[in-house]
């Protein structure tokens, strides 16, 4: 019995093949793929997209659960980007994840999710900062190669209490306004520096906040010993080279300049995903066989998603007694000195709410670099900046609005570093100084300085304290405020029990509101309070 093909004439067979072959060529190549983002942005594409579409794609990246097929993992490098100390033990299964040294998370939203995506995290999402300088932190004494798994840069054996700084995951709501405040303050400091001739000193001030005194010595060198509140890298100076005086508003030790730099650091450390602006175009920087894992345009999109998140607001319940307690607590907050550091609001002037990405102060060299800078389309080094109006109602609400040409940013911070410990044995002190070169004597001297915690959005993004060690705000005040915070802490403790409760009730009112809330102040039913959006302008 002949098959149907044997009965066909040659012409009919060729006709059939001609019809079938194009169908075979069109087989969906995504079949069997396991990736979170099937298509990434190409560099330059971000310049052609509508801002809402770019932000929406950034949200997808923020929520993406990355897989090895798209570059998750970093077999041959640390979370710092440096090669493994022990290349003979690559970070492949079963060493592909490590909760302490990373990679430790599948997605950004895996940690930043309280009370909503982009927010803070439960204590279980704490970050083990500087653990990423180890290959695979497992405390295995059988191999003491420095920074492999148990020994530090000196060869000293580490324990849990000395290997890293444990930090709480904090929220990104309002981060665009915070970055723009920092940019304006940096510009002020640098202008004051540049206007100071040799042999003179200048008081560094911005937004009504003093950052101490900078001296330009007669020989052209700079004395930064009386500058206060800026991180050590911003004060570095040699010979006649001036200190940068960058205000670094991110990381709780004031280590990072911009949301973009923060993002470029986080992807390799936590997810093993390499931004091309860190490793180069077409470069397999981590040895997993995947190149261009995150394009420069991708990083722009996810940065814009974060900086345009709705700003936090306030919840004032309908209960008259609670309303009175909040009002009284707010007054007490100022009277006992809390507002001297937790400054209720800082002003953005000169259209500072027009956010540009990339920003002008992104570090191009040194630690946690390179990062994209504004300039011609020369990816991944420079790109034309994208401008976003942070006050636009086209963005997730609530939004801050300009009044008489000024946007008051009610973040309750002075954006300064303060010493909050009574010494290196204080339980709030950290074993390592993130702002010093890893392995240096100063690095191992530890850290007692922290950025003044932004209190907007505080209550529903707990736990509290820089390590999330406190389940209540009362604990954070009474156990977490030593050093420069001691005077206010003692003043709080000197209040009557009911007055303390009033302060706590005020702090409880500072919350992240659901995205889309039309005003900054609502009651416990979600209805707007007052005639319209409220901006806290007290200083």
């Amino acid at each position: 019995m002949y098959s149907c093909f044997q009965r066909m004439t040659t012409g009919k067979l060729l006709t059939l093949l001609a019809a079938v072959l194009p169908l075979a060529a069109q087989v969906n190549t995504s079949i069997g793929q396991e990736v979170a983002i099937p298509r990434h942005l190409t560099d330059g594409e971000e310049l052609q997209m509508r801002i809402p579409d770019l932000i929406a794609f950034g949200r997808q990246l923020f929520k993406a659960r990355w897989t090895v097929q798209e570059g998750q993992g970093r077999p041959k490098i640390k979370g710092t980007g440096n090669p493994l100390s022990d290349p003979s033990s690559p970070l492949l299964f079963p060493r592909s994840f490590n909760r302490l040294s990373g990679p430790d998370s599948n997605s950004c939203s895996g940690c930043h999710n309280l009370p909503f995506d982009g927010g803070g995290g439960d204590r279980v999402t704490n970050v083990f900062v500087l653990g990423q300088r180890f290959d695979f932190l497992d405390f295995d004494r059988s191999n003491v190669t420095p920074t492999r798994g148990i020994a530090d840069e000196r060869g000293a054996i580490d324990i849990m209490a000395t290997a890293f700084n444990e930090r709480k995951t904090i929220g990104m709501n309002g981060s665009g306004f915070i970055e723009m405040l920092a940019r304006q303050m940096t510009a002020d400091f640098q202008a004051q520096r540049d206007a100071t001739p040799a042999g003179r000193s200048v008081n560094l001030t911005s937004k009504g906040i003093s950052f101490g005194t900078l001296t330009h010595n007669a020989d052209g060198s700079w004395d930064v010993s009386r500058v206060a509140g800026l991180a050590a890298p911003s004060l570095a100076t040699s010979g006649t080279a001036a200190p940068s005086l960058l205000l670094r508003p991110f990381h709780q030790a004031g280590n990072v300049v911009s949301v973009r730099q923060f993002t470029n650091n986080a992807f390799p450390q936590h997810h093993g995903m390499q931004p091309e602006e860190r490793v180069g175009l077409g470069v397999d920087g981590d040895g997993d066989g995947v190149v261009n894992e995150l394009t420069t345009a991708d990083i722009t999109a996810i940065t814009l998603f974060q900086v345009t998140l709705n700003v936090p607001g306030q919840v004032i319940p309908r209960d008259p007694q609670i309303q009175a307690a909040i009002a009284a607590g707010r007054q007490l907050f100022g009277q006992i000195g809390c507002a001297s550091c937790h400054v209720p609001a800082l002003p953005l002037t000169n259209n500072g709410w027009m956010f540009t990405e990339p920003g002008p102060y992104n570090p191009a060299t040194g630690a946690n670099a390179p990062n994209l800078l504004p300039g011609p389309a020369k990816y991944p080094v420079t790109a034309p900046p994208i401008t976003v109006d942070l006050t636009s109602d086209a963005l997730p609400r609530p939004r801050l609005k300009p009044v008489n040409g000024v946007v008051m940013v009610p973040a309750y911070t002075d954006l300064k570093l303060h010493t909050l410990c009574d010494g290196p044995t204080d339980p709030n002190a950290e074993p390592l100084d993130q702002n010093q070169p890893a392995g240096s004597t100063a690095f191992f001297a530890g850290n007692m300085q922290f950025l003044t915690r932004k209190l907007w959005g505080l209550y529903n993004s707990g736990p509290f304290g820089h390590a999330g060690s406190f389940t209540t705000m009362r604990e954070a005040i009474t156990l977490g405020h030593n050093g420069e915070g001691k005077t206010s802490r003692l003043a709080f403790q000197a209040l009557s029990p009911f007055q303390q409760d009033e302060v706590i009730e005020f702090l409880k009112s500072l919350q992240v509101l659901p995205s889309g809330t039309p005003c900054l102040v609502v009651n416990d039913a979600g209805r707007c309070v007052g005639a319209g959006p409220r901006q806290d302008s007290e200083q």
Side-chain angles (χ1 to χ4, degrees):
M1 183 175 181
Y2 294 102
S3 72
C4 62
F5 282 104
Q6 288 174 309
R7 292 196 300 269
M8 284 183 182
T9 65
T10 301
K12 290 181 179 179
L13 181 58
L14 291 176
T15 300
L16 177 62
L17 289 175
V20 171
L21 286 176
L23 292 175
Q26 295 171 22
V27 169
N28 190 336
T29 57
S30 68
I31 293 175
Q33 268 193 346
E34 298 179 76
V35 296
I37 302 294
R39 179 187 176 278
H40 288 256
L41 298 181
T42 58
D43 291 336
E45 186 178 359
E46 78 280 14
L47 303 175
Q48 311 302 321
M49 295 176 66
R50 295 172 59 249
I51 295 297
D53 294 337
L54 191 56
I55 293 171
F57 188 77
R59 181 183 181 86
Q60 292 181 44
L61 294 168
F62 196 86
K63 293 173 67 66
R65 294 195 297 269
W66 304 103
T67 77
V68 293
Q69 290 186 6
E70 55 200 327
Q72 184 280 327
R74 42 179 170 81
K76 296 184 178 181
I77 66 171
K78 304 170 183 282
T80 61
N82 294 326
L84 296 180
S85 297
D86 180 10
S88 67
S89 299
L91 303 184
L92 298 169
F93 179 80
R95 294 163 56 86
S96 50
F97 283 97
N98 185 301
R99 186 64 183 89
L100 302 178
S101 53
D104 56 7
S105 175
N106 301 111
S107 72
C108 301
S109 63
C111 294
H112 291 275
N113 54 43
L114 288 179
F116 312 105
D117 287 338
D122 187 277
R123 198 175 195 283
V124 74
T125 71
N126 274 14
V127 182
F128 301 96
V129 175
L130 300 171
Q132 72 270 24
R133 70 191 207 282
F134 291 90
D135 294 3
F136 189 85
L137 190 54
D138 58 1
F139 303 103
D140 179 3
R141 289 177 176 265
S142 68
N143 190 323
V144 294
T145 301
T147 66
R148 179 188 187 271
I150 189 171
D152 65 22
E153 290 84 351
R154 305 166 298 184
I157 299 301
D158 263 320
I159 59 175
M160 287 280 286
T162 62
F164 47 75
N165 296 336
E166 186 173 4
R167 300 259 182 85
K168 170 184 162 48
T169 297
I170 60 175
M172 304 305 292
N173 292 82
S175 59
F177 287 100
I178 297 298
E179 182 168 334
M180 292 306 294
L181 283 171
R183 291 186 197 179
Q184 288 197 341
M185 295 171 81
T186 294
D188 287 346
F189 299 152
Q190 293 183 346
Q192 293 160 13
R193 175 200 66 193
D194 295 345
T196 304
R200 301 291 295 274
S201 297
V202 61
N203 183 27
L204 298 174
T205 60
S206 183
K207 314 292 183 188
I209 310 296
S210 173
F211 283 72
T213 301
L214 174 69
T215 298
H216 196 179
N217 296 321
D219 63 0
S221 62
W222 297 85
D223 179 2
V224 298
S225 62
R226 292 185 294 159
V227 177
L230 294 179
S234 298
L235 301 179
T237 176
S238 178
T240 60
S244 71
L245 305 181
L246 289 172
L247 196 155
R248 303 164 186 263
F250 302 110
H251 261 296
Q252 297 190 65
N255 181 256
V256 170
V257 171
S258 66
V259 173
R260 188 181 199 98
Q261 186 188 22
F262 180 91
T263 303
N264 277 330
N265 294 348
F267 268 115
Q269 175 184 349
H270 299 301
H271 313 308
M273 295 290 292
Q274 307 305 314
E276 64 183 21
E277 64 194 82
R278 284 289 170 89
V279 300
L281 295 175
V283 176
D284 179 12
D286 54 6
D288 62 1
V290 182
V291 301
N292 303 329
E293 295 174 6
L294 289 164
T295 67
T296 304
D298 286 340
I299 298 298
T300 295
I302 195 171
T303 298
L304 290 181
F305 164 71
Q306 293 171 87
V307 302
T308 59
L309 286 166
N310 57 297
V311 300
Q314 190 173 28
V315 178
I316 300 180
R318 289 164 289 179
D319 186 317
Q321 293 185 41
I322 296 179
Q323 291 178 7
I326 290 172
R330 183 181 181 191
Q331 293 299 318
L332 288 167
F333 182 85
Q335 291 172 16
I336 63 177
C338 300
S340 62
C341 295
H342 295 283
V343 177
L346 295 176
L348 263 181
T349 57
N350 300 320
N351 292 320
W353 50 91
M354 303 301 291
F355 187 93
T356 56
E357 181 59 33
Y361 299 117
N362 289 338
T365 59
N368 301 321
N371 302 277
L372 188 71
L373 283 166
K378 188 180 178 182
Y379 295 95
V381 180
T382 60
I386 295 172
T387 300
V388 179
D389 180 356
L390 294 177
T391 69
S392 171
D393 284 333
L395 302 177
R397 294 191 295 173
R399 309 304 309 169
L400 301 179
K401 296 292 185 179
V403 176
N404 298 323
V406 177
V407 168
M408 299 303 296
V409 183
Y412 288 87
T413 181
D414 58 6
L415 294 178
K416 285 180 67 173
L417 288 169
H418 293 277
T419 299
L420 292 179
C421 305
D422 283 338
T425 60
D426 189 306
N428 293 295
E430 294 182 323
L432 306 171
D433 190 338
Q434 184 181 10
N435 288 316
Q436 299 291 344
S440 66
T441 300
F443 176 77
F444 290 114
N447 175 54
M448 296 183 289
Q449 290 194 321
F450 301 92
L451 276 177
T452 299
R453 177 76 162 87
K454 296 179 287 292
L455 298 184
W456 64 351
L458 173 70
Y459 186 61
N460 56 351
S461 57
F464 311 103
H466 63 264
S469 300
F470 309 122
T471 60
T472 67
M473 293 179 295
R474 194 183 307 266
E475 287 178 292
I477 296 171
T478 60
L479 300 177
H481 282 71
N482 292 324
E484 294 177 59
K486 179 178 285 187
T487 300
S488 293
R489 186 252 295 169
L490 291 175
F492 174 81
Q493 291 175 315
L495 296 174
S496 70
F498 185 72
Q499 287 177 314
Q500 291 184 20
D501 290 343
E502 289 176 322
V503 173
I504 296 301
E505 203 62 38
F506 163 63
L507 295 175
K508 284 170 59 178
S509 74
L510 304 178
Q511 300 188 26
V512 178
L513 305 179
S515 183
T517 302
C519 49
L520 290 168
V521 185
V522 299
N523 62 25
D524 49 346
R527 296 182 181 276
C528 294
V529 173
R534 172 181 171 186
Q535 294 194 67
D536 192 336
S537 59
E538 68 169 307
Q539 288 292 311

